[in-house]
């Protein structure tokens, strides 16, 4: 994991500007502080879909709700 630089407190307006100017990054705004969030890739989405499908199949096969 890469350490994030300390950005300090940020206003909602500044956060919205940052969010609009960063199409390749996702941020979370909590009590005036902004945190860079991990993003998913298409491959990550495919893996998650495959795992969910297999779990559903196993649950149906064994009669679990």
């Amino acid at each position: 994991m890469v350490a994030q630089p300390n950005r300090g407190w940020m206003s909602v307006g500044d956060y919205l500007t940052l969010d609009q100017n960063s199409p390749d990054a996702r941020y979370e705004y909590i009590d005036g502080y902004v945190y860079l969030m991990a993003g998913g890739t298409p491959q990550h989405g495919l893996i998650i879909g495959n795992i969910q499908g297999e779990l559903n199949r196993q649950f149906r096969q064994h009669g679990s709700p």
Side-chain angles (χ1 to χ4, degrees), residues 3-46:
Q4 296 179 28
N6 184 359
R7 294 183 186 264
W9 187 87
M10 184 179 282
S11 71
V12 173
D14 289 341
Y15 163 71
L16 293 174
T17 300
L18 173 68
D19 190 48
Q20 289 174 350
N21 294 328
S22 305
D24 295 331
R26 295 174 48 204
Y27 295 95
E28 183 173 30
Y29 184 83
I30 301 174
D31 294 330
Y33 293 92
V34 177
Y35 302 92
L36 182 62
M37 295 173 50
T41 63
Q43 293 84 4
H44 183 248
L46 179 62

